Amino acid sequence: MPIIFSDEDLMYLDKDQDEKLRSIRQTIDAIKAKGNTTFCKKCGHMMQYFTVGNAKLLQCVFCGNRVAEMIEL
C-alpha cells in the first residue's frame, strides 16, 4: 500500500528550511525595492560593485561575470 502525502503534509516536512528561504526572499525583495542592486544576467546572483572615477565596476562573486557601467552625474 503506497503512502500518500497531501500538499498540506508536504508543507510542514522541513519547516526550518522553509523559514530560512522565506527570510532570504524577504531580504532580496527589500534590496530590490531600494533599486540600488544589480543582478548577474548569467546566473542571477547579486553583483558586488566598486566605483572608480565615473564608472561603476560590477562583478558577480558566483560566476565571475564582470560588467562596467557609467555613472550619470
Side-chain angles (χ1 to χ4, degrees):
M1 184 166 141
I3 299 173
I4 299 172
F5 291 103
S6 68
D7 290 338
E8 187 176 327
D9 294 332
L10 292 174
M11 188 171 70
Y12 295 107
L13 282 179
D14 198 359
K15 193 171 183 176
D16 291 335
Q17 186 177 15
D18 188 47
E19 288 174 2
K20 288 178 187 177
L21 287 173
R22 192 169 291 149
S23 69
I24 290 170
R25 285 186 194 126
Q26 288 173 349
T27 304
I28 290 173
D29 289 341
I31 291 171
K32 282 182 181 179
K34 291 179 183 177
N36 193 359
T37 306
T38 305
F39 292 88
C40 181
K41 293 189 190 315
K42 279 178 139 179
C43 65
H45 287 83
M46 286 189 288
M47 298 181 85
Q48 289 182 333
Y49 72 92
F50 309 96
T51 305
V52 178
N54 62 348
K56 184 174 169 182
L57 305 173
L58 302 158
Q59 180 175 0
C60 179
V61 293
F62 186 74
C63 71
N65 187 24
R66 293 182 183 162
V67 179
E69 294 180 354
M70 296 301 290
I71 299 173
E72 296 178 16
L73 298 174

